[in-house]
Amino acid sequence: MPASPSTARAINDRLALRLLQQEGPLTAGQLKQLTGLSRPTVADLVDRLTAAGLITVVGESGEQRRGPNARLYGIVADRAHLAALDVRTEGVLVLVSDLVGRVLAEASVPIDADSGTGPAVEQAVAAVESAVKEAGALAAPERAGVREWGRLHTVGIGAPGLIDPATGDLRDSAGLPAWHRSLVATLHERLPGARVTVENETNLAALAEQREGAARDRDTFVLLWLGHGVGAAVVLDGTLRRGASGGTGEIGFLPVPGTDTLPSATDCTGGYHSLTGAAAIVSLATAHGLPAPPTTDGPGAAEAVRGAVTAVLAGMGSGTARSGAGRASAGEAGSCDGPVTREAAGAGARPASAGETGSCDGPVTTEAAAGARPASVGEPGSAAGPGPAAPAGSGAGSASGESVGSGAGSSSADRPGAGAGPESAVVAGGVAEAVAGPAGELPAARFLGALADRIAVGAASVVAVLDPGCVVLGGEVGQAGGTVLAGLVEERLRRMSPLVTEVRASSLGGTAVLRGALLTARDRAQDELFAPPERLGG
């Protein structure tokens, strides 16, 4: 049955808006080419969207002959504003952007564990309100069903813990601060007119990696978050899976060999968290004779891993890597290698004590991974987000500036920097072989091997049940480990399981949660603003 005229118009409008959001400003001629619609139909939808205040002329193309087709149309970025929050045990990161994702304001606030619920909530809300005010997006109640342009439209929040699939609310979880749940309720009250949504932080990280990070070419994969805590997110056939109670991916509670006890319903000590949480990684590093980082949180563990990778690569030297059969280059067809970096990871020691963690399912620190070079979260297509003092970088690539493989048929020689240093040798040959030799005797190499053993235990359990074909090592530690740690884990999975599984390093690291929160806020706002008038009652 053919669509009615109004339905056809709505479909065409959404298609054009989606293209403008993805591609940036376009001429009417380009819209015609990309949509396949006729010139009169495109002219009608341009008039309709302009009248609705959704698009406007933002410039002209480089064509010599001026005319309607030379006008560049773009989404009205200040039609609405968005806020994204990364809520952690020790603080909150905030950014405010316009409708196309350009960051207008950022803020961060550390929150002391002894602050108490009321003061903690007030600190967090004050940071949000300050950023919103700086961006000129103060929320206001709707008047007669009409929202003022430029006001705060949607707030996306990433937080550790379980999200009730029926209500969308953050559930009360043992070990997590009480102010987390109170913050969401308070934001509803203090930001009238704004839509507030909350999602598990590891799930948001997976969505960000899928849209803009290491899993951009994957419809099915598992993100294994390695930060202060450990968690997993499952994406199957392009859809994030949450489970019956919202607990899919609570891998920190997975009973594993090598721990002194079993986890309980309220404490993941003795589970996979005790092998791969930040405190366990730092303990393992020091047990192997490596320098102790200043903290035992996610950034501290990442620092230990990063230092180990740097030491291993330096020990390898440019001429010690062997190029025999092994790991495919990042650019080869079917490869799952992540961006080449100079970082890697290591393996656990004693189980973390119950007091060292408040959660098992994601990052809980107030800082981005030390040494990473993320791009600004708000840059369209960027792959990173702000930490308290996050430097601007080059986008969704690796810390070394190299890009993810370019597609089928390419080889390592085709990628920028191929053959230029130890990282390229690691990618071109098998990682296990590349780290062998003199470098393999280094304490850093033994540490990385032990950590890979631990990570592989949990990853193998996930692979055996889901067969995802790809595992992304996320969080600060996953990004710090880079290709070296990912390759070591993949080599172990190859020996442990008959199911072929590629392992990639995160290209977003600890910034993925904030980026995912912004993307989900933008999606929700655009779904509403770009809806046909009859659905909105207008």
Side-chain angles (χ1 to χ4, degrees):
M1 180 177 178
S4 66
S6 61
T7 300
R9 286 194 297 270
I11 293 172
N12 293 339
D13 290 353
R14 291 298 296 269
L15 174 59
L17 288 165
R18 186 167 63 248
L19 286 169
L20 289 168
Q21 190 269 322
Q22 294 172 347
E23 305 293 334
L26 298 170
T27 66
Q30 290 169 328
L31 283 171
K32 174 182 178 298
Q33 181 180 12
L34 292 171
T35 61
L37 299 172
S38 67
R39 187 178 300 278
T41 300
V42 169
D44 287 343
L45 73 83
V46 166
D47 289 343
R48 196 161 51 245
L49 295 176
T50 300
L54 294 174
I55 68 173
T56 188
V57 177
V58 296
E60 294 180 339
S61 69
E63 300 175 16
Q64 295 298 319
R65 184 179 66 82
R66 302 301 173 86
N69 288 346
R71 295 176 181 173
L72 282 170
Y73 294 93
I75 292 174
V76 178
D78 61 356
R79 181 69 173 81
H81 289 92
L82 316 169
L85 280 69
D86 182 355
V87 178
R88 309 189 176 197
T89 298
E90 299 167 356
V92 177
L93 306 177
V94 184
L95 68 80
V96 179
S97 81
D98 60 22
L99 190 57
V100 298
R102 184 174 64 246
V103 170
L104 304 174
E106 303 176 31
S108 65
V109 57
I111 296 178
D112 190 274
D114 299 325
S115 295
T117 299
V121 169
E122 188 58 38
Q123 282 182 276
V125 173
V128 175
E129 291 179 329
S130 175
V132 169
K133 182 177 181 180
E134 181 183 344
L138 290 174
E142 296 184 9
R143 298 197 309 274
V146 178
R147 294 175 53 81
E148 291 188 33
W149 286 14
R151 298 298 184 178
L152 188 64
H153 186 284
T154 304
V155 180
I157 302 173
L162 300 177
I163 308 300
D164 190 321
T167 65
D169 295 331
L170 185 64
R171 290 169 52 183
D172 188 16
S173 301
L176 291 177
W179 64 265
H180 281 192
R181 297 187 72 225
S182 299
L183 173 62
V184 176
T186 304
L187 287 173
H188 276 287
E189 298 172 0
R190 299 272 283 270
L191 300 174
R195 285 72 168 149
V196 180
T197 60
V198 61
E199 176 61 271
N200 173 267
E201 59 189 352
T202 308
N203 287 343
L204 290 179
L207 292 175
E209 294 285 0
Q210 183 185 31
R211 296 268 290 272
E212 299 179 343
R216 282 172 291 183
D217 60 340
R218 286 281 174 170
D219 287 333
T220 295
F221 70 98
V222 168
L223 174 81
L224 184 59
W225 182 274
L226 301 170
H228 184 93
V230 59
V234 177
V235 177
L236 302 178
D237 299 324
T239 302
L240 179 69
R241 306 295 181 177
R242 295 178 174 83
S245 63
T248 295
E250 287 292 328
I251 197 171
F253 287 89
L254 179 71
V256 291
T259 61
D260 296 332
T261 184
L262 290 174
S264 70
T266 59
D267 188 354
C268 58
T269 299
Y272 188 54
H273 171 83
S274 293
L275 292 183
T276 54
I281 292 175
V282 171
S283 295
L284 182 65
T286 56
H288 280 78
L290 302 183
T295 63
T296 59
D297 56 7
E303 181 178 336
V305 169
R306 182 176 298 107
V309 174
T310 300
V312 167
L313 292 174
M316 286 167 53
S318 60
T320 59
R322 292 179 288 188
S323 57
R327 188 173 177 83
S329 74
E332 292 179 359
S335 169
C336 194
D337 293 56
V340 179
T341 68
R342 289 185 176 271
E343 296 86 27
R350 63 172 179 79
S353 68
E356 290 174 330
T357 177
S359 171
C360 303
D361 60 358
V364 287
T365 67
T366 57
E367 297 177 343
R373 302 186 333 190
S376 170
V377 168
E379 295 175 2
S382 72
S394 58
S398 69
S400 63
E402 297 187 11
S403 62
V404 179
S406 57
S410 64
S411 68
S412 60
D414 298 324
R415 297 187 300 107
E423 306 98 315
S424 299
V426 168
V427 175
V431 172
E433 293 88 341
V435 177
E441 298 303 315
L442 295 172
R446 293 196 294 270
F447 162 65
L448 294 178
L451 179 57
D453 288 340
R454 292 187 172 198
I455 294 172
V457 168
S461 300
V462 173
V463 166
V465 174
L466 298 176
D467 187 18
C470 182
V471 172
V472 175
L473 302 184
E476 297 97 336
V477 172
Q479 185 182 47
T483 302
V484 174
L485 180 61
L488 291 172
V489 173
E490 182 177 311
E491 186 270 338
R492 283 153 175 76
L493 287 179
R494 190 181 302 119
R495 289 190 275 114
M496 296 170 66
S497 173
L499 306 177
V500 177
T501 306
E502 297 172 307
V503 181
R504 295 181 178 178
S506 164
S507 60
L508 306 184
T511 65
V513 176
L514 198 58
R515 184 63 194 170
L518 178 60
L519 289 170
T520 54
R522 189 175 70 181
D523 287 347
R524 179 173 180 183
Q526 291 182 348
D527 280 345
E528 179 177 315
L529 294 172
F530 295 171
E534 56 267 25
R535 204 183 90 184
L536 298 178

